[in-house]
Amino acid sequence: MQLNKYIDHTLLKANATVEDIKNLCAEAKKYDFYAVCVSSYYAALADSELMHTDIKVATVIGFPLGSMTSRVKAFEAQQCIDQGADEIDMVLNIGLLKSGYYKIVEDEIRSIKKTIGNKTLKVIFENCYLTDEEKKIACKLSLNAGADFIKTSTGFGTGGATLEDVELMKNEVHDYLKIKASGGIRDLKIAKKYIDLGVSRIGTSSGVTMVTSN
């Protein structure tokens, strides 16, 4: 198992500086991580820093609340792609999902996927706010809308990834969608447990610690 190739090396803190993003990209190159994950403003910078590598640039949109309008999310996604992003991690509209407005939630996911075309779309659920039934519904909506990944958490909610949530998500989507676990994953042992459950990507700011303790 090449752990480094599961890692989205992540920095989404509000106080992340230009130098911090450059350092993030330098670490990604040093340890050959699969991708970096940054705020949308830093898409162009990350793309520039990772030029001539195969490391992907992932950016978050509608982050971290998910409550922006669909048009705003689509605009943000398009701007990120235009600036070099390879992958988009979107937060679904949590409040509308919990309100039972499933068609609107599904249509929004579909519109973002249409906007970014063949680029990778990950849908962030923020599982800490959802019931198990709502998580299952979010899985189905994401699958129906043509997403590529489903993702556990932003890392900014009241809880992050759990093994139980990943198992539930896997049981719903099987191999039709990939799964990204993120939020609170900080050591090698727990990362391996997620991979054993079938996740394809791990979002973490502790990737360097993980791979150097391998």
Side-chain angles (χ1 to χ4, degrees), residues 46-210:
D47 180 58
S48 175
E49 291 294 310
L50 295 172
M51 194 176 299
H52 308 307
T53 77
D54 61 357
I55 300 167
K56 305 298 184 184
V57 175
T59 58
V60 292
I61 67 162
F63 195 87
L65 302 178
S67 54
M68 301 74 175
T69 65
S70 296
R71 288 181 65 187
V72 168
K73 287 181 179 177
F75 180 86
E76 186 178 16
Q78 183 63 64
Q79 187 174 52
C80 289
I81 297 300
D82 291 345
Q83 293 180 346
D86 303 291
E87 304 185 346
I88 298 295
D89 291 27
M90 67 167 288
V91 186
L92 61 71
N93 195 310
I94 302 159
L96 290 187
L97 177 69
K98 295 187 72 66
S99 298
Y101 290 8
Y102 305 138
K103 185 179 186 303
I104 297 176
V105 175
E106 182 179 323
D107 285 348
E108 177 176 274
I109 298 168
R110 183 177 290 108
S111 73
I112 303 302
K113 180 58 182 174
K114 182 178 179 180
T115 296
I116 69 172
N118 62 0
K119 303 295 186 180
T120 297
L121 176 62
K122 310 188 197 94
V123 181
I124 309 173
F125 290 2
E126 202 70 293
N127 281 333
C128 60
Y129 298 133
L130 305 180
T131 66
D132 283 353
E133 184 59 29
E134 288 165 344
K135 296 166 195 173
K136 292 177 182 178
I137 292 168
C139 287
K140 293 173 184 174
L141 299 178
S142 301
L143 180 59
N144 291 343
D148 301 288
F149 274 78
I150 49 178
K151 178 177 170 181
T152 59
S153 327
T154 64
F156 286 74
T158 57
T162 69
L163 296 169
E164 293 79 11
D165 279 345
V166 167
E167 191 169 11
L168 178 151
M169 294 161 76
K170 187 68 174 178
N171 287 338
E172 285 299 307
V173 302
H174 303 287
D175 293 326
Y176 294 108
L177 293 179
K178 295 178 180 179
I179 298 174
K180 177 177 173 179
S182 63
I185 304 173
R186 299 187 179 92
D187 64 73
L188 177 62
K189 184 177 179 180
I190 191 67
K192 286 183 174 179
K193 288 184 178 180
Y194 281 106
I195 292 168
D196 288 343
L197 280 177
V199 305
S200 298
R201 211 78 66 77
I202 292 173
T204 181
S205 58
S206 301
V208 174
T209 301
M210 288 182 192

